[in-house]
Each structure stands twice: as C-alpha cells, then as structure tokens.
Amino acid sequence: MSLTRPALGLAVLTLALPLLAACGEDEPKLVIYNAQHEQLLDEIVPAFEEETGIEVELRNAKDLELSNQLVQEGDASDADVFLTENSPAMSQVEQAGLFAELPAEVLDVIPEMYRPASGLWTGFVARSTVLVYNTGLIEESELPASILELAEPEWAGRLSFSPTGADFQAIVAAVLELEGEEATRAWLEGIKENGTVYDGNNVVLESVNSGESEVGIVYHYYWERDREEGGDVHGDSAQYYFADQDPGAFVSVSGAGILESSDMKDEAEEFMEFLVGEEGQQIIADSYALEYPLNPDITLEQGVKPFSELEPPAVNVSDLDAEAVVDLMTEVGFL
Ligand SMILES: [Fe+2]
C-alpha cells in the first residue's frame, strides 16, 4: 500500500478492517490450554507462529483448573494441546484417556525419566525444588540433609511455604510417591505445625529474605529470577539444593500433550516438535524463565546451577497423583 493513498482509500480500508478481522477469527487456530507461565508462552508462541504460519490461541489458567476442565469437557473440548506448570495435572488427563500418542520425533528428544512410558505426553522444561534460607540467620551447614527433617520439632516457627500452588503440590506428590502415604501425612502434619503458610512462592521469598522465616520451600527459579532482575527479595538469602536423591531434590517437569479429540493434530504435532526442538528449547533457555530445558542439546546458563549437577530422586512421572495429593492435603488441613 502506498503511503500517499488518498484519504478516501484510507476510509474504505478502515471500514474493511473489522470484516478482515472477522474473517481471521474464522480461520482455525491451534487452541492451547496453558497452565505454564503466560510470559514464557508469550516468547515461544510468536516464534512458532512466524515459522509455521499456524495461529495459536492461548487459554491460560492454573494446572488443576485446566485438567479438571479437560476431564469435564471430554471429547467436546476445544483444546488441541495442553501445557502445565507441573506434571500431576498431566497424569490426571492421561488417566482420563484424553491424550493422543506423541510422535517419535517428539518423544525421542526428551530423556526417558522426564516423560511417561505411555508416550502420551512429555516433559518440556524442568524446575528444581530448593530451600531458600536467610543468610543472616542460619549457616548452610545447619540446613537439613533431607526435606523430611523440616517436620521435626527443632524447625518449629522457622519455615514457610505456599501449599495452595501447583508447585508445592508437585513436591508433595513426589514425597508421596517416594515415601508412601503414611510418611507423607506425618511429614505434612509436621511442616504444618512448624511452618507459616503463604499464598504464593514470591511471598515465601519475601518472608525468608526479610528474616520472618529462616527457610522456605520453593522452586529454584523464583530466587534466580529475582537475582537476575536485580529485585529486592534475594539479597539476604541464598538457595540450598538438597542432594543424594532426597525427596527435596525433586525435579518437577512441566508437561505437554496433544488431545485425542483435537481436529488439528498435524498442527499440534508441529507445535510439540517446535517446543522440544532446538529452537523452542533455546528460546526457553534464553528467556526470563530460568527453568531447565529438557532437550539435552540445549543448556540453561544465566548463572543458574547446571542441570547436570542436580541429584534428583528417580520418580516415575506417571505416578505423581494430583487427586491423592489434594485429598491428603485437604485431610491435613492445607486446602
Ligand atoms: Fe511456579
């Protein structure tokens, strides 16, 4: 279009725009139910759209909100792809029989321990459990070897965490899978007794950094992002990574899968290939997120502890049970 187009032409164009937009809305879009952080998808999706010409519509909500919605909608769901922050919500949808098998091009990229043997979904990014501690109040040498010790009486009044979020609930799912129901209930009762409950992991960081709590259970990226962004909730605290396959060294994966009911499976597969492929994973590695890419060819740098140095317990991602965790946490009085 020429810049010197007369005013009448512009008026016609202005009138025509709503019609064009209406036509655009009729084009089928790849619908992604997204519970990963919106900000991360806002980096991945435009690159995917540009490369493939496939338009994406994101519908954002929390892990269990979307998994419950998918189970309710069943075959009638608009969703083509489901992305979560943590994997228990993926297992819920898998158990409901709603996922299509992923192509080998997707599965072969991701190490086996970060996806279920069923091939019905895969992890695409990972986050490590950590203990954030106030460096003025406690020495690293005084921190417990196991996250399970935080339930002991000596930790009374010294701990904080955010039990309502999918992040903490994934950690509980790992404890449940590794230690069994009785030990997990006892652990939850102990940390409930000892801890202060906050709504949100950033509030946990604040409480530790200010010295209200000595230690807090979070994932690594909260503190790392604050450090990277020069924020004000990391300067008086540091991160402690549990080791030796302790339940506290649990690495949680964000999951991705294609709905069997999708009428855009080819496009959904293209999205999945992009997400786990080098380009998508490099976008994740370079992004604000500071989460670990799961494609072994791509490395997160940006000053974060290397993924290869983590010592996570072997957890079968298919066995992380969202419903059992919600039941147990309700019973103990967290939810
Ligand atoms: Fe999170």
Side-chain angles (χ1 to χ4, degrees):
M1 183 179 85
S2 156
L3 288 174
T4 54
R5 185 176 286 270
L8 181 62
L10 201 63
V12 169
L13 187 69
T14 309
L15 286 172
L17 271 176
L19 288 173
L20 285 173
C23 290
E25 273 165 26
D26 288 341
E27 293 290 312
K29 287 186 179 177
L30 187 71
V31 175
I32 300 181
Y33 280 19
N34 173 50
Q36 236 287 355
H37 304 126
E38 211 173 322
Q39 202 179 339
L40 180 60
L41 271 294
D42 286 345
E43 300 201 32
I44 295 167
V45 165
F48 170 74
E49 288 180 327
E50 193 175 334
E51 184 161 307
T52 61
I54 298 166
E55 299 231 1
V56 169
E57 180 185 332
L58 286 176
R59 298 193 193 165
N60 300 297
K62 306 263 180 222
D63 278 14
L64 293 184
E65 289 168 3
L66 289 178
S67 59
N68 286 329
Q69 188 180 335
L70 282 167
V71 169
Q72 277 194 345
E73 291 171 343
D75 288 346
S77 181
D78 290 344
D80 299 298
V81 171
F82 183 34
L83 304 178
T84 60
E85 223 200 311
N86 294 284
S87 63
M90 297 303 290
S91 300
Q92 189 192 348
V93 174
E94 178 181 358
Q95 280 157 22
L98 297 175
F99 282 134
E101 203 164 320
L102 293 175
E105 289 80 359
V106 171
L107 296 175
D108 290 351
V109 174
I110 303 295
E112 273 177 34
M113 76 176 279
Y114 298 117
R115 54 184 170 83
S118 64
L120 289 167
W121 56 272
T122 182
F124 68 97
V125 67
R127 48 270 298 287
S128 178
T129 311
V130 293
L131 198 60
V132 177
Y133 65 100
N134 183 296
T135 48
L137 294 175
I138 190 165
E139 304 269 331
E140 186 174 345
S141 60
E142 299 171 88
L143 297 173
S146 171
I147 198 170
L148 301 177
E149 288 176 46
L150 294 170
E152 290 171 12
E154 62 171 297
W155 288 97
R158 303 165 70 189
L159 166 70
S160 64
F161 50 95
S162 173
T164 50
D167 290 349
F168 189 80
Q169 289 172 23
I171 298 170
V172 176
V175 173
L176 180 61
E177 160 66 3
L178 292 161
E179 304 293 321
E181 189 179 324
E182 207 174 311
T184 305
R185 185 184 291 107
W187 180 67
L188 287 172
E189 283 166 349
I191 61 171
K192 183 162 189 278
E193 187 71 29
N194 290 345
T196 307
V197 161
Y198 291 109
D199 188 18
N201 291 316
N202 282 313
V203 191
V204 172
L205 281 196
E206 263 174 55
S207 91
V208 173
N209 202 63
S210 68
E212 247 171 81
S213 312
E214 284 179 51
V215 298
I217 303 168
V218 288
Y219 285 151
H220 76 280
Y221 57 79
Y222 291 94
W223 187 91
E224 293 289 356
R225 283 179 197 168
D226 197 70
R227 170 190 61 75
E228 182 70 17
E229 292 161 9
D232 52 12
V233 293
H234 73 282
D236 295 312
S237 53
Q239 305 217 83
Y240 171 73
Y241 287 78
F242 293 101
D244 294 327
Q245 290 77 47
D246 185 73
F250 170 61
V251 164
S252 179
V253 303
S254 297
I258 298 173
L259 279 304
E260 179 61 49
S261 58
S262 167
D263 52 6
M264 293 182 73
K265 285 220 181 67
D266 290 346
E267 291 85 351
E269 286 184 6
E270 275 192 70
F271 179 80
M272 292 292 296
E273 283 177 38
F274 184 85
L275 186 67
V276 302
E278 291 195 7
E279 198 180 340
Q281 294 276 295
Q282 191 65 56
I283 291 171
I284 292 171
D286 294 341
S287 77
Y288 86 103
L290 306 185
E291 298 187 48
Y292 295 105
L294 283 174
N295 179 326
D297 293 336
I298 306 298
T299 308
L300 172 66
E301 284 162 0
Q302 304 201 63
V304 181
K305 185 180 175 95
F307 193 53
S308 58
E309 289 177 16
L310 305 182
E311 299 176 10
V315 172
N316 185 343
V317 287
S318 311
D319 292 341
L320 297 181
D321 186 337
E323 271 174 67
V325 165
V326 168
D327 287 351
L328 203 49
M329 291 182 70
T330 305
E331 193 186 311
V332 172
F334 277 127
L335 303 177

